[in-house]
Amino acid sequence: MRQLVFIVLGILFGVVMYKAEAASWFRIYEMFNFQSFHMYGFMGSALVIGVTGVQWMKRSAKNIDGQQVVVAPKDKSVARYLLGGIFFGLGWALVGACPGPMFVLLGAGILPMLIVIVSALFGTFIYGLVKDKLPH
């Protein structure tokens, strides 16, 4: 029953992204060309909600087992975030969508996104196989 809440929240998230046109390739293109505030406002509001949610979780949230949620401190290395951001940005530019809108676009009937999702899952699987050999 608890997983049903997450499914419903995921569906609501997808509906909001679709209705806000955050999954639209044209809106993303406008954002990268600094032609529209639309996507910056959408991402800025997501940032505010995310920061607020993490701070709330650090102070009072409990996990499924009733234990306090502990957020591990982040690594101070800049290089790994730059490299990861470059790969993420290249993938976003090649596909025209980041991971959230991939599922929204599939739900909206853009069937080629199925190839993107399968490729993303395959890449995640490969990372899981080699992560112990990578410098973290």
Side-chain angles (χ1 to χ4, degrees):
M1 189 63 172
R2 286 183 177 167
Q3 278 124 7
L4 182 62
V5 172
F6 296 112
I7 291 170
V8 170
L9 286 174
I11 291 170
L12 287 174
F13 177 68
V15 168
V16 167
M17 285 192 77
Y18 186 76
K19 290 295 185 181
E21 296 182 357
S24 167
W25 185 88
F26 297 107
R27 287 291 186 184
I28 294 168
Y29 181 77
E30 286 177 342
M31 176 187 70
F32 284 128
N33 284 315
F34 301 104
Q35 295 173 340
S36 173
F37 178 76
H38 181 84
M39 289 295 287
Y40 293 110
F42 187 81
M43 285 194 228
S45 63
L47 180 67
V48 168
I49 291 168
V51 167
T52 305
V54 168
Q55 293 306 314
W56 171 77
M57 283 180 13
K58 283 182 175 181
R59 289 178 175 73
S60 62
K62 301 201 181 301
N63 65 14
I64 273 182
D65 299 325
Q67 299 170 343
Q68 183 70 30
V69 173
V70 178
V71 179
K74 296 290 181 191
D75 184 11
K76 301 290 184 198
S77 169
V78 174
R80 68 183 283 191
Y81 294 115
L82 285 175
L83 187 61
I86 288 169
F87 278 115
F88 183 82
L90 286 173
W92 191 356
L94 289 171
V95 171
C98 65
M102 288 187 326
F103 295 99
V104 174
L105 290 169
L106 181 64
I110 314 285
L111 295 181
M113 278 295 140
L114 193 57
I115 296 168
V116 175
I117 291 170
V118 169
S119 299
L121 291 173
F122 181 70
T124 303
F125 175 74
I126 296 298
Y127 172 76
L129 294 177
V130 299
K131 73 176 181 180
D132 295 332
K133 296 172 181 62
L134 297 174
H136 283 99

